[in-house]
Amino acid sequence: MIALFRFLLALMTKPFKPMGQLEAENAALRQQLNVLRRRMKARPRLTNSDGWFFIVLYRLFPSILDAMRIIQPKTLVRWHRSGFRFYWRLKSQRCVRRSKIDAKLPALIKRMNDR
């Protein structure tokens, strides 16, 4: 909670700079990690201070909503694996296939080699 207060105080006292958006997104992600670290058996629950933090962050940076997703690591790994399978499926379909050769050609090559 002290870190949250320090962050908000620093955010209000510093003039807004271009990196402010990135800092706000990082702060939101850190807060989400703190929520997930509580390791409740059920779905993670946000406390009032968490909700307040996200509301203030959203008021300052409305585009932060794109980064506000809480997912499980299993879900991320599943997405990565399915994307990787899709990538290789597309890559293998684009391979140039060998054209079929006439059956007489290997016989001709063998005959030429025997001479």
Side-chain angles (χ1 to χ4, degrees), residues 2-88:
I2 294 173
L4 173 64
F5 180 72
R6 284 182 185 168
F7 171 74
L8 290 176
L9 185 63
L11 191 63
M12 287 182 219
T13 57
K14 285 183 182 179
F16 292 105
K17 55 185 179 179
M19 293 296 291
Q21 178 78 23
L22 182 61
E23 289 175 10
E25 185 174 326
N26 286 340
L29 294 174
R30 268 189 246 116
Q31 185 67 19
Q32 288 178 0
L33 284 174
N34 289 337
V35 170
L36 288 174
R37 283 187 186 137
R38 292 184 194 140
R39 301 305 260 161
M40 293 182 182
K41 292 183 181 182
R43 184 175 173 197
R45 303 276 184 226
L46 299 176
T47 62
N48 289 337
S49 62
D50 295 327
W52 182 80
F53 174 79
F54 290 129
I55 288 171
V56 169
L57 203 57
Y58 174 73
R59 297 278 185 198
L60 295 173
F61 303 99
S63 62
I64 200 72
L65 208 54
D66 294 334
M68 304 280 287
R69 305 287 185 264
I70 297 179
I71 60 169
Q72 293 180 350
K74 291 187 295 189
T75 306
L76 186 63
V77 170
R78 183 172 39 92
W79 288 345
H80 182 265
R81 287 181 179 162
S82 66
F84 199 69
R85 278 193 302 268
F86 179 73
Y87 168 76
W88 279 109

Side-chain angles (χ1 to χ4, degrees), residues 92-100:
S92 66
Q93 288 173 356
R94 291 184 193 158
C95 281
V96 178
R97 306 277 187 220
R98 287 189 175 187
S99 59
K100 294 191 177 193

